[in-house]
Amino acid sequence: MSASIFTLASVAELEGRLQAERAGTPFVMLRDGRGNQRIVSLDGEEVVIGREVERGIRLDWNPHVSRVHAVLGRVGRAWTLVDDGLSRNGTYVNGQRVVGRRRLSSGDVIRCGEVDLGFCDPTSPEGESTLMAPDGGPAVSVPPSQRRVLVALCRPLREAPYAPPATNKAIAAELSLSIDTVKTHLRRLFELLDVDDLPQNQKRAQLAWNALTAGLVTSHDLVGP
């Protein structure tokens, strides 16, 4: 899985993604030929992906994308990816080639030609979350108990991405935990999200930023305790 889709380069990009998540509609994130973030809301029944599509997700900067490459389709409340032989070079989800139809989960990476698209669903249920290592290494899993601490830490950022994260005391009060338990979870999260080597006064803000930019915490999570 490529980390470049979910790794945001600026506060402006983060705000764009937070706005998309606040809308509560599944969407696709990608970077265009110039490396700029694009967000496409999936608010219809079908979205075509290809190099020469008139409506849908047009990937005209990459020659390895077929004119009509694949189709995103809604089935009930779920979104699926369909490639019934439309593409010349194949369509992949998380590195596995799609033949026919595949149901998508939030955080899946779709590859068409040499273009990666990240599927995001703000309405997906909470569970163990996965973060891909920035260097393409093994993924790390964040258990639900630690993810709840992450959400509480990030909650003040729901209005402004640059706001200071929650204090240990505020997290403990929200989750009915002891402050020592909160500190234990945070120490593990510092290690998992690769901020353990930062100065102590920078760790919490960087941890919150990493959680948001990696998609471990969404604006849907931040609505209320």
Side-chain angles (χ1 to χ4, degrees):
M1 182 186 294
S2 169
S4 62
I5 308 167
F6 297 108
T7 302
L8 307 182
S10 67
V11 171
E13 287 192 355
L14 176 57
E15 182 61 31
R17 187 166 110 177
L18 289 175
Q19 288 179 1
E21 290 172 348
R22 289 182 190 121
T25 300
F27 60 93
V28 167
M29 292 178 60
L30 64 140
R31 294 194 177 275
D32 63 21
R34 297 182 178 181
N36 297 320
Q37 175 182 273
R38 284 178 52 192
I39 295 178
V40 181
S41 178
L42 303 178
D43 52 5
E45 298 295 325
E46 183 177 282
V47 179
V48 181
I49 305 171
R51 197 176 72 249
E52 296 184 4
V53 297
E54 293 184 4
R55 296 182 179 179
I57 303 175
R58 188 181 179 95
L59 310 177
D60 55 5
W61 63 89
N62 189 275
H64 297 282
V65 176
S66 298
R67 287 178 293 178
V68 177
H69 198 100
V71 178
L72 292 166
R74 186 166 62 183
V75 179
R77 298 181 61 181
W79 277 88
T80 64
L81 180 76
V82 182
D83 186 339
D84 289 326
L86 291 173
S87 65
R88 181 175 182 178
N89 294 313
T91 307
Y92 297 80
V93 174
N94 302 335
Q96 296 183 344
R97 185 160 186 167
V98 174
V99 179
R101 183 185 299 269
R102 172 165 173 160
R103 181 171 180 165
L104 297 173
S105 298
S106 190
D108 283 347
V109 174
I110 304 162
R111 169 156 283 204
C112 298
E114 295 179 343
V115 181
D116 287 344
L117 306 92
F119 173 74
C120 302
D121 185 355
T123 66
S124 62
E126 178 181 336
E128 184 174 89
S129 300
T130 300
L131 170 67
M132 298 305 297
D135 59 359
V140 293
S141 295
V142 178
S145 59
Q146 291 176 0
R147 185 176 180 277
R148 286 192 289 271
V149 171
L150 268 182
V151 171
L153 177 78
C154 295
R155 199 172 302 286
L157 282 68
R158 63 178 175 236
E159 299 299 334
Y162 43 82
T167 64
N168 289 349
K169 183 177 180 180
I171 296 171
E174 177 180 326
L175 301 179
S176 299
L177 299 174
S178 70
I179 291 180
D180 284 342
T181 299
V182 171
K183 289 179 178 179
T184 299
H185 284 312
L186 286 174
R187 282 195 293 269
R188 180 56 179 151
L189 289 165
F190 291 153
E191 295 174 1
L192 286 175
L193 275 72
D194 200 26
V195 299
D196 200 38
D197 293 335
L198 292 178
Q200 194 65 34
N201 62 350
Q202 298 178 18
K203 286 184 179 181
R204 300 170 66 84
Q206 190 62 49
L207 178 64
W209 173 266
N210 287 1
L212 288 164
T213 58
L216 291 174
V217 177
T218 71
S219 64
H220 179 73
D221 298 320
L222 305 181
V223 171

